[in-house]
Amino acid sequence: MRTYQWIIASAVAMALAGCGADEISSAGAGGNITINNPPPAQNPDPGPDPDPDPVLVTPAAGCPTIAASTPLNDAGTIEGPTGEYRVCDLPPVINASTTLPRIPGLLYALPDRVDVGTDLGPTFTTGEASVTLTIQPGVVIFAKAGTAWLGVNRGNKIQAVGTATQPIVFTSRDNVLGLATDDSQGQWGGVVLMGRAPITDCRTGLPGSVSCDRQTEGAAQPALYGGVTANDNSGRMSYVQIRYSGYALAANTELQSLTLEGVGSATQIDHIQMHNSSDDGFENFGGTPSMRHLVITGADDDSIDLDFGYKGTIQYVIAVQKASGSPDSIIELDSTNSNETQVPRTHAKIANFTFVHRNPATANTAAWLLRGGADATLVNGVMTTPMACLRLNGANILATDPTIDKLGPPEFHSVGLTCGTAVTVDGSGVPAAQAAALFTSPGTNNNTTLSSTLTGVFVNGANEAAMTATDPKSEDALFDTTTYVGAVRDANDTWYAGWTCNSATASFGDTSTACTTLPSLVE
């Protein structure tokens, strides 16, 4: 298989200037766009070893048969700089376990909201009609409209398992057409997993109970989550890219690239890139999933948002924000509201992270905002930001109260900060001096004056390598033991390469392709 990167401004200009081809409405481009790609120009022969012209994709002959009672709809073809593709629309509800095979020259499409199964309620029932959507490595699924999103309902599963060389890609129509840029965002909804694990801030019922549920933000029709099954299983997502998401389904209710709602600990989430979401990179609304090897690039709100009683471990995280737009905090922990005493209490446990925060003035006034009386344990991390690193909001963030599942003040171990200001004064009751004293407690191995030597944006340099690490397992048995701070130990540590995509925000090496183009579907 060959991989190509060739989205260039001239190709886009030709596409916009063309005429006479099929009209294609693109949610992220503000209207109908006429695409008329001319035949590819032939390179003049400069000598014995000319660069070959890229091989353009040609459309598959038709759509495959799937097990769901509603078949795929053959929606014709779509053409962009990488070639022409057969488009196979997914049905509104996938009502039987189904596999989407990778077929050269074929893209699957979300015409609007697509549900995996129907909501099977907060508890398992013998004989329930559970549905699993399996997506093969290398499959590309694009959204035809801004309102399009994929929802995996309670009691159902997704098995989206790519590989390091053939990631699964969820993206927008503009990305297919070659119109997406390094600044594109919010062109479709995103991927939402709804589970049966405990949550708080209920729509109905008591917090953490079987009757406690919530509605997915912005969903016009019911999309419920919540229950009492801490080890609930919503399936697996591995080696997956989610690009250009975050469309506002309703006022102030954007989806993220990846939204985990009441998802249980038996769900496997690893090797996921969330690129250019107009909201958060990912948000966990309660639940108990543990997550590994995450890459968040260009989120226009928070990179990580955790609330509604989330309890889980997150390890090996690269988060890089843009300097432009309106990116907010790298971490926003819990919400400040009247439900702060509810249990289960959010406890963010994050280890081996590298956070690059570039916005000099965020709405949250700091790169990390910890609030809502939540608990937090951060281990083996580094962060750079031009503004304040840490804001502790509300005196209850420091409290210890076992009766409401409050373990105590946030804990930081082997964390290095390169900041404009290490902490910021908060008007809700945690003075800067008190927050600084907490962070620099004896024996924590923290450094508020780390001089960053990161290379290639996120790879440890000499000063990061010199920091004393803490064994994350001493904080939670679910963590891996590591002997270094940061997400990427050194230049030989390349867990991020190949399955990610490159942009102006961050490059992940020659084996990763550009976010603004599609992976090759020629073979």
Side-chain angles (χ1 to χ4, degrees):
M1 184 184 74
R2 302 177 64 183
T3 302
Y4 303 102
Q5 297 175 300
W6 60 72
I7 293 182
I8 56 175
S10 60
V12 174
M14 286 188 289
L16 293 174
C19 58
D22 294 337
E23 280 196 342
I24 302 173
S25 179
S26 175
N32 290 340
I33 297 168
T34 301
I35 303 297
N36 185 22
N37 289 326
Q42 298 296 313
N43 290 336
D45 187 351
D49 298 308
D51 292 333
D53 294 307
V55 178
L56 297 181
V57 173
T58 57
C63 296
T65 300
I66 62 173
S69 59
T70 302
L72 297 171
N73 174 52
D74 187 337
T77 65
I78 188 171
E79 189 170 358
T82 55
E84 186 177 4
Y85 300 84
R86 176 72 53 195
V87 178
C88 300
D89 288 349
L90 298 178
V93 179
I94 297 173
N95 52 20
S97 292
T98 295
T99 296
L100 301 181
R102 180 190 182 278
I103 297 174
L106 186 146
L107 304 176
Y108 298 96
L110 306 173
D112 205 83
R113 172 179 168 179
V114 171
D115 285 280
V116 177
T118 57
D119 180 22
L120 298 178
T123 58
F124 172 78
T125 302
T126 301
E128 66 183 13
S130 179
V131 168
T132 298
L133 173 63
T134 299
I135 305 173
Q136 289 187 345
V139 163
V140 176
I141 300 176
F142 77 95
K144 282 188 164 183
T147 54
W149 56 286
L150 180 68
V152 181
N153 286 292
R154 288 187 295 188
N156 302 281
K157 295 183 178 68
I158 186 170
Q159 292 291 332
V161 183
T163 68
T165 57
Q166 286 194 315
I168 293 165
V169 177
F170 292 90
T171 192
S172 67
R173 178 191 287 264
D174 274 11
N175 200 185
V176 178
L177 296 176
L179 302 175
T181 71
D182 282 329
D183 293 321
S184 297
Q185 61 182 27
Q187 295 181 341
W188 65 292
V191 179
V192 181
L193 274 57
M194 294 163 272
R196 291 164 160 169
I199 62 171
T200 62
D201 294 44
C202 315
R203 180 184 68 100
T204 61
L206 298 174
S209 74
V210 71
S211 58
C212 177
D213 67 21
R214 286 187 59 85
Q215 165 75 351
T216 298
E217 290 184 353
Q221 300 298 323
L224 302 176
Y225 60 95
V228 291
T229 309
N231 65 343
D232 190 41
N233 187 352
S234 295
R236 178 182 175 187
M237 294 182 68
S238 300
Y239 296 102
V240 172
Q241 298 174 21
I242 307 174
R243 307 177 180 179
Y244 309 116
S245 62
Y247 187 84
L249 298 181
N252 299 315
T253 52
E254 303 91 348
L255 291 177
Q256 291 66 233
S257 287
L258 179 62
T259 305
L260 303 181
E261 303 176 329
V263 169
S265 61
T267 307
Q268 183 174 338
I269 304 291
D270 65 87
H271 295 88
I272 311 291
Q273 181 180 15
M274 294 141 275
H275 177 67
N276 276 26
S277 168
S278 63
D279 198 58
D280 304 324
F282 70 90
E283 184 163 9
N284 291 357
F285 293 90
T288 55
S290 288
M291 309 169 72
R292 298 290 184 271
H293 295 106
L294 307 177
V295 172
I296 307 130
T297 46
D300 205 47
D301 192 5
D302 308 308
S303 294
I304 300 169
D305 198 338
L306 307 171
D307 47 28
F308 297 167
Y310 167 71
K311 291 182 180 295
T313 61
I314 301 170
Q315 191 168 18
Y316 314 112
V317 188
I318 299 169
V320 185
Q321 290 185 334
K322 295 181 292 186
S324 60
S326 55
D328 209 342
S329 298
I330 293 280
I331 299 175
E332 183 175 287
L333 182 59
D334 220 81
S335 302
T336 302
N337 56 39
S338 60
N339 299 324
E340 289 182 12
T341 60
Q342 292 185 358
V343 295
R345 181 161 306 283
T346 297
H347 189 172
K349 298 180 181 181
I350 307 176
N352 292 100
F353 54 88
T354 300
F355 295 156
V356 179
H357 182 272
R358 292 169 168 162
N359 188 356
T362 71
N364 284 340
T365 70
W368 292 342
L369 173 60
L370 311 185
R371 62 181 180 182
D375 287 317
T377 304
L378 280 73
V379 185
N380 288 354
V382 295
M383 181 169 68
T384 68
T385 177
M387 60 181 304
C389 274
L390 174 64
R391 176 184 175 191
L392 301 182
N393 176 278
N396 61 348
I397 196 76
L398 304 178
T400 301
D401 188 349
T403 65
I404 55 171
D405 192 28
K406 182 70 177 80
L407 300 181
E411 294 186 14
F412 305 91
H413 302 279
S414 300
V415 176
L417 304 179
T418 304
C419 320
T421 306
V423 296
T424 185
V425 176
D426 184 85
S428 300
V430 182
Q434 188 174 6
L438 172 69
F439 189 86
T440 56
S441 298
T444 57
N445 298 319
N446 297 322
N447 185 351
T448 61
T449 59
L450 178 69
S451 179
S452 174
T453 55
L454 293 173
T455 63
V457 180
F458 51 80
V459 178
N460 281 354
N463 289 351
E464 291 78 20
M467 285 190 62
T468 299
T470 297
D471 184 359
K473 272 194 182 297
S474 65
E475 301 301 321
D476 193 297
L478 293 177
F479 279 131
D480 297 338
T481 291
T482 53
T483 58
Y484 58 93
V485 304
V488 180
R489 181 170 188 164
D490 54 34
N492 296 314
D493 183 7
T494 58
W495 60 261
Y496 52 82
W499 58 272
T500 48
C501 66
N502 296 328
S503 66
T505 303
S507 175
F508 299 98
D510 293 341
T511 57
S512 294
T513 58
C515 298
T516 49
T517 192
L518 297 186
S520 174
L521 286 179
V522 174
E523 299 176 0

